[in-house]
């Protein structure tokens, strides 16, 4: 049973020094009780209090780190709009040890090529799941070593054969792979293997009750670096399980399910597989293992993940400075937009397509889109003139024309008056820029 804020407060040092990041011990106790702070933030907690508080104040879903920089779990809310989600679902590509050497090398090269750029941010696939399907322990160890040597991505080593798992893991332990899976039949050997090598381990059982029982037994071995696999392989059952895990962990602080959850896609058709994966990314999977490694399949999934794991209170923004597209000169058109990344990059993409080198000045609207910014008083003529003066645009072009988004045509008069420039009303949507640009002379 979780402790209340007041119960936690009684065990804190009551120095009210603020070193934990909040002004008082009471505020810190409340943050601990709601899972929004970690006990380690207070340097003055006594050992006795730490023992009492550790389990009560632990985050509702434990953070599990593995590989290069993969962090699973450590989420504190059920819904993104309550606060934010912190650790984007780790995406891993399934690589079987039954592939031939040529197929294996081709697969590795394909995975290494999975790099994406969207709204100014870089993304790549996080890891590789090396799965034993050959039945040959030596082959499995060799494939795991080949993958590890060829890429620095996070590794998941998956085998039902503990001997094969050990042979593959031990030379790669410094890479801190995630290993799996510990089941009711082998959990002692697999959990002890993970413990001996200080790597996290997947605990797998079908059904919530069976999984709770197995987690409890595995913890009794003195180890807690777990990732849960509910064993379900249909989309509906997996979604149901993921939702139950998250609710029980966050709302009830039910400790056996206070670990990240991994899922495996089961659809063979790549497009259906991606749709299946989107369900898991949207609803609480900490990691998803996919079979497809085609860039075109994975881009929509990465886009969805980026959107879900963007802090809703901090939209992605571009620097509000003068940007140039192409080889600009003194005759180049001059566009105004906002610094919301999705808006800016839509405008930039269309300007690029128009093949007319142009200047774009995104106004600092705290990352809001044009209409939202205007409604909030963040896209006002005074602010635009201030940004124009700071950008030095007047020294870069000899004309005096500003192109503004069509949605804010209403500011034309005042902007013209304040700036002394001619205001040209551009298209409402960025998709109209290419045809609009042909009207510029
Ligand atoms: S650092 Fe510890 S003692 Fe200081 S205010 Fe925070 S909880 Fe209290």
């Amino acid at each position: 049973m979780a402790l209340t804020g007041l119960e936690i407060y009684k065990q804190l040092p009551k120095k009210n020094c603020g070193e934990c990041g909040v002004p008082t011990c009471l505020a810190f106790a409340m943050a601990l009780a709601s899972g929004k702070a970690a006990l380690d933030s207070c340097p003055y907690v006594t050992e006795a209090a730490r023992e009492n508080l550790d389990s009560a104040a632990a985050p509702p879903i434990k953070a599990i780190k593995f590989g290069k920089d993969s962090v699973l779990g450590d989420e504190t809310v059920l819904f993104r709009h309550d606060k934010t989600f912190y650790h984007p679902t780790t995406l891993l590509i399934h690589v079987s040890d039954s592939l031939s050497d040529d197929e294996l090398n081709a697969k590795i090269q394909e995975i290494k090529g999975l790099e994406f750029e969207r709204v100014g941010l870089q993304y790549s696939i996080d890891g590789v799941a090396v799965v034993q399907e050959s039945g040959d322990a030596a082959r499995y160890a060799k494939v795991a070593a080949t993958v590890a040597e060829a890429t620095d991505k996070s590794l998941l080593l998956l085998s039902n054969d503990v001997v094969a798992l050990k042979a593959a893991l031990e030379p790669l332990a410094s890479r801190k792979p995630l290993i799996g899976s510990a089941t009711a039949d082998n959990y002692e050997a697999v959990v002890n293997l993970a413990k001996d090598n200080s790597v996290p381990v997947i605990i797998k059982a079908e059904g919530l009750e069976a999984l709770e029982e197995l987690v409890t037994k595995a913890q009794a071995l003195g180890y807690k670096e777990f990732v849960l696999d509910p064993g379900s392989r249909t989309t509906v059952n997996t979604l149901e399980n993921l939702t139950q895990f998250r609710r029980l962990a966050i709302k009830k602080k039910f400790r056996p399910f206070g670990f990240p959850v991994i899922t495996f896609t089961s659809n063979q058709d790549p497009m259906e597989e991606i749709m299946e994966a989107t369900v898991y990314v949207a609803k609480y999977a900490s990691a998803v293992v996919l079979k497809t490694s085609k860039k075109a399949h994975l881009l929509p999934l990465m886009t969805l993940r980026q959107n879900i794991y963007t802090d809703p209170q901090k939209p992605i923004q571009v620097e509000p400075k003068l940007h140039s597209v192409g080889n600009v000169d003194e005759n180049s058109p001059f566009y105004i937009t906002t610094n919301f990344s999705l808006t800016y990059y839509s405008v930039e993409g269309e300007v690029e397509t128009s093949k007319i080198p142009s200047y774009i000045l995104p106004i600092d609207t705290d990352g809001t889109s044009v209409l939202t910014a205007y409604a909030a008083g963040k896209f006002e003529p005074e602010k635009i003139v201030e940004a124009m003066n700071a950008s030095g645009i007047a020294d870069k072009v000899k004309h005096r024309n500003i192109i503004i988004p069509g949605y804010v045509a209403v500011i034309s008069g005042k902007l013209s008056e304040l700036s002394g420039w001619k205001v040209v009303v551009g298209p409402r949507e960025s998709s109209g820029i290419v045809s609009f640009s042909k009207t510029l002379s």
Side-chain angles (χ1 to χ4, degrees):
M1 180 78 176
L3 296 181
T4 65
L6 280 179
E7 286 166 333
I8 294 173
Y9 173 67
K10 285 179 194 161
Q11 309 209 40
L12 292 179
K14 303 184 187 64
K15 291 163 79 88
N16 295 326
C17 62
E19 287 182 41
C20 52
V22 290
T24 64
C25 295
L26 182 59
F28 184 62
M30 295 301 172
L32 279 176
S34 61
K36 292 174 182 161
L39 192 57
D40 286 346
S41 303
C42 171
Y44 305 110
V45 178
T46 63
E47 271 314 304
R50 183 178 296 282
E51 264 183 38
N52 293 336
L53 291 174
D54 247 351
S55 67
I61 301 174
K62 186 172 167 57
I64 298 293
K65 297 179 183 168
F66 78 102
K68 192 179 166 198
D69 48 16
S70 296
V71 182
L72 311 180
D74 199 20
E75 301 295 348
T76 58
V77 291
L78 205 51
F79 302 109
R80 173 182 176 268
H81 58 257
D82 285 340
K83 195 174 180 202
T84 185
F85 292 161
Y86 291 101
H87 297 110
T89 308
T90 292
L91 300 176
L92 304 112
I93 304 297
H94 174 125
V95 171
S96 169
D97 72 337
S98 60
L99 295 176
S100 68
D101 285 348
D102 286 348
E103 289 169 331
L104 177 64
N105 288 333
K107 187 82 172 172
I108 292 170
Q109 290 314 315
E110 197 164 51
I111 292 170
K112 286 170 79 173
L114 294 172
E115 307 274 343
F116 305 87
E117 186 190 340
R118 184 170 178 270
V119 291
L121 301 174
Q122 299 288 336
Y123 296 93
S124 59
I125 283 293
D126 309 288
V128 181
V130 187
V131 185
Q132 192 196 19
E133 293 175 330
S134 67
D136 176 347
R139 173 69 186 164
Y140 182 60
K142 184 173 177 235
V143 169
T146 303
V147 171
E149 198 181 327
T151 165
D152 63 353
K153 294 192 182 297
S154 299
L155 297 174
L156 161 59
L157 302 179
L158 212 54
S159 169
N160 294 326
D161 174 354
V162 182
V163 174
L165 196 56
K166 188 168 191 257
L169 167 64
E170 287 184 341
L172 301 176
S174 62
R175 293 278 296 264
K176 204 175 179 191
L178 171 63
I179 67 165
S181 295
T183 63
D185 296 333
N186 68 9
Y187 77 91
E188 282 180 294
V190 177
V191 171
N192 281 326
L193 177 64
K195 188 177 168 186
D196 291 346
N197 289 279
S198 302
V199 298
V201 57
I202 297 172
I203 307 289
K204 177 184 174 187
E206 269 188 53
L208 301 193
E209 282 174 17
L211 190 52
E212 179 199 344
E213 191 184 324
L214 188 56
V215 169
T216 308
K217 282 184 188 168
Q219 278 183 317
L221 298 173
Y223 203 55
K224 287 186 181 174
E225 294 295 300
F226 299 156
V227 176
L228 308 184
D229 175 2
S232 49
R233 295 293 181 262
T234 67
T235 310
V236 170
N237 287 346
T238 304
L239 173 62
E240 196 177 290
N241 285 330
L242 285 165
T243 308
Q244 295 276 17
F245 283 129
R246 180 62 70 95
R247 284 188 170 276
L248 286 165
I250 302 275
K251 291 281 185 199
K252 305 288 183 195
K253 286 211 168 183
F254 185 65
R255 292 297 176 203
F257 292 165
F259 297 97
V261 183
I262 189 166
T263 61
F264 297 80
T265 56
S266 55
N267 275 289
Q268 298 305 315
D269 176 80
M271 298 313 285
E272 287 182 7
E273 184 191 21
I274 291 299
M275 282 194 281
E276 181 186 354
T278 61
V279 172
Y280 305 155
V281 168
K283 281 290 175 187
Y284 310 138
S286 299
V288 178
V289 178
L290 298 120
K291 291 178 283 294
T292 182
S293 48
K294 297 277 178 257
K295 209 167 183 174
H297 298 154
L298 290 159
L299 180 59
L301 184 65
M302 306 287 280
T303 302
L304 175 87
R305 183 180 74 164
Q306 183 188 30
N307 286 335
I308 291 174
Y309 283 89
T310 298
D311 186 340
Q313 291 163 36
K314 289 183 204 150
I316 314 170
Q317 303 173 27
V318 295
E319 203 181 336
K321 63 170 194 186
L322 191 65
H323 296 249
S324 52
V325 179
N327 293 324
V328 286
D329 60 28
E330 59 189 13
N331 297 311
S332 296
F334 171 50
Y335 290 85
I336 297 277
T337 186
T338 77
N339 74 329
F340 177 39
S341 280
L342 285 178
T343 301
Y344 174 80
Y345 282 104
S346 299
V347 171
E348 190 197 81
E350 294 297 328
V351 168
E352 237 172 54
T353 307
S354 77
K355 297 197 176 358
I356 300 178
S358 305
Y359 287 103
I360 308 175
L361 178 60
I363 306 298
D364 184 358
T365 58
D366 295 328
T368 52
S369 60
V370 172
L371 276 181
T372 309
Y374 175 68
K378 294 176 179 173
F379 202 63
E380 294 292 302
E382 292 83 352
K383 193 167 181 181
I384 295 172
V385 171
E386 202 180 303
M388 285 171 63
N389 291 339
S391 74
I393 183 67
D395 299 329
K396 294 184 188 295
V397 292
K398 69 176 184 193
H399 64 78
R400 289 295 179 260
N401 300 323
I402 321 167
I403 303 165
I404 63 168
Y407 277 123
V408 290
V410 67
I411 67 172
S412 307
K414 191 163 181 193
L415 181 56
S416 178
E417 191 184 309
L418 290 177
S419 64
W421 289 43
K422 179 183 169 193
V423 176
V424 180
V425 177
R428 287 185 160 209
E429 303 291 345
S430 55
S431 56
I433 286 177
V434 174
S435 54
F436 167 82
S437 67
K438 291 179 183 147
T439 67
L440 299 171
S441 54

